Amino acid sequence: MTRYSLEIRIKPRPGLLDPEGKAIHHALHSLGWGEVDEVRVGKVLYLDLDADSEAAAAEAATAMCRKLLANPVTEDFEVAVTGALEGAGS
Amino acid sequence: MKAAVVTFPGSNGDYDLYKAAQQVGFETDFVWHRERGLDDYDLVLLPGGFSYGDYLRAGAIARMSPIMEDVVAFASKGGPVLGICNGFQTLCESGLLPGALVRNDVLRFQGMDVRIRVERTDLAFTSGYEEGQVLRIPIAHGEGNFEADKDTLERLEGEGRVVFRYVDRHGNPTDEANPNGSWHNIAGITNEAGNVLGMMPHPERATESILGSDDGLSLFSSLAASVPALST
């Protein structure tokens, strides 16, 4: 078993109104960053889990996103394996 | 004639809903989210509140509760299910209703009386209203902005599944009358079979004139009138 670190990035689906992103966009403009075209606000979940392989770890995280972590109506997600610690876990 | 009010950690509309159901003659029980079994009931009510602190997404964790499997089974047998506010969000998360409720476009929690128009009166929930009737009902939510993909939204309108819409005093669904940015001023929708209703406004908080409005009472008395026929 290897302990993998994963990052799950959840973001609002394109075309969906993101009021929080819009408010931040306004704030950036009023601070002088007029070059900012669009702001979208999502979230990142950091997970550590034990799995037999990197692919198995990513597959488990994808299943978690489908079942609970992301809402397919409003959100897209990406799973990235960011680290592995051999021999960890039991 | 029995009603179940399903209670989650963080529910806060459960007592109001309990009282509204009792007021129209339902023998009413609270059913804790970890309990199982709704076979003895004729009506299932999902209250408003902030189940699990709205963590992850409003209703996302509540819908994983053991009792939700029974709610889905109850609904698929045609049993009437009403979800209000957080209950509506939970019904969407569970897949019993399409779409999702996202952050209000005004980025504020909206707590106020609104006007909603009754779009359908052929449902167990609304038979006591007149079509086009305008009700004054309170809202209290930060995430009531109804969203879905374009096909779903068009299907909802095409199939007449919008039950309530935010309107102005003249009954017109204007942008000003829309408190949260919901598409087409949607305040409540039903499923294809018409036995599951989700709505953001709180009819259970408008059941006595001393509360400012009793326009919500007819929703519960409609259910009291329809439910006996449904369960036979």
Side-chain angles (χ1 to χ4, degrees):
Chain A
M1 278 286 194
T2 304
R3 174 152 301 174
Y4 292 96
S5 296
L6 294 98
E7 271 184 35
I8 296 172
R9 301 181 197 115
I10 295 169
K11 50 187 181 181
R13 294 192 65 171
L16 195 83
L17 178 75
D18 174 15
E20 198 174 352
K22 220 167 128 190
I24 294 167
H25 177 259
H26 278 302
L28 289 173
H29 271 236
S30 64
L31 287 169
W33 280 288
E35 69 273 30
V36 176
D37 186 35
E38 201 191 4
V39 181
R40 317 271 293 157
V41 179
K43 61 188 137 194
V44 181
L45 282 76
Y46 302 94
L47 254 69
D48 290 332
L49 64 89
D50 298 330
D52 288 329
S53 67
E54 192 173 317
E59 197 181 313
T62 301
M64 293 173 208
C65 287
R66 296 226 163 92
K67 179 100 180 152
L68 173 69
L69 302 178
N71 182 332
V73 177
T74 55
E75 297 168 325
D76 288 328
F77 65 87
E78 282 166 16
V79 172
V81 178
T82 55
L85 194 60
E86 297 283 339
S90 52
Chain B
M1 194 167 69
K2 288 185 75 179
V5 175
V6 177
T7 307
F8 301 95
S11 293
N12 65 15
D14 42 349
Y15 278 83
D16 292 343
L17 205 43
Y18 180 93
K19 187 170 174 301
Q22 233 181 15
Q23 198 176 332
V24 297
F26 283 96
E27 187 189 327
T28 308
D29 292 328
F30 290 114
V31 177
W32 184 236
H33 72 120
R34 300 179 78 138
E35 291 175 33
R36 295 300 303 258
L38 291 168
D39 291 346
D40 294 344
Y41 295 96
D42 308 298
L43 169 68
V44 171
L45 304 164
L46 303 189
F50 299 86
S51 58
Y52 296 93
D54 275 352
Y55 288 169
L56 195 61
R57 298 176 305 277
I61 298 182
R63 81 102 165 164
M64 297 294 166
S65 296
I67 194 70
M68 283 309 293
E69 240 177 81
D70 299 318
V71 174
V72 172
F74 182 85
S76 63
K77 281 187 275 183
V81 177
L82 168 64
I84 296 168
C85 198
N86 196 216
F88 183 13
Q89 294 162 339
T90 306
L91 289 174
C92 288
E93 283 284 344
S94 73
L96 282 173
L97 291 174
L101 293 141
V102 300
R103 188 78 60 95
N104 296 346
D105 65 345
V106 289
L107 290 175
R108 271 196 319 271
F109 185 91
Q110 293 279 55
M112 59 170 100
D113 279 2
V114 296
R115 289 187 177 83
I116 55 172
R117 191 175 70 196
V118 182
E119 305 287 78
R120 264 183 83 168
T121 54
D122 61 334
L123 301 171
F125 309 94
T126 55
S127 55
Y129 292 112
E130 301 287 329
E131 198 175 322
Q133 191 177 341
V134 176
L135 317 177
R136 215 176 107 215
I137 307 262
I139 55 164
H141 61 250
E143 282 152 334
N145 181 350
F146 184 78
E147 288 281 353
D149 60 71
K150 206 163 163 282
D151 289 351
T152 305
L153 293 168
E154 279 168 3
R155 209 175 62 237
L156 283 173
E157 287 289 2
E159 293 172 358
R161 285 165 54 188
V162 178
V163 182
F164 298 110
R165 225 184 279 279
Y166 301 109
V167 293
D168 65 12
R169 62 175 66 235
H170 308 294
N172 298 317
T174 58
D175 286 348
E176 292 71 37
N178 187 341
N180 53 32
S182 278
W183 190 82
H184 279 202
N185 289 40
I186 286 175
I189 58 165
T190 186
N191 62 340
E192 240 175 299
N195 66 311
V196 178
L197 172 69
M199 62 191 296
M200 288 312 294
H202 287 276
E204 81 284 13
R205 296 184 191 171
T207 55
E208 292 180 50
S209 51
I210 198 171
L211 299 173
S213 167
D214 59 1
D215 289 353
L217 186 61
S218 281
L219 195 147
F220 297 97
S221 43
S222 299
L223 282 166
S226 319
V227 159
L230 291 177
S231 46
T232 51

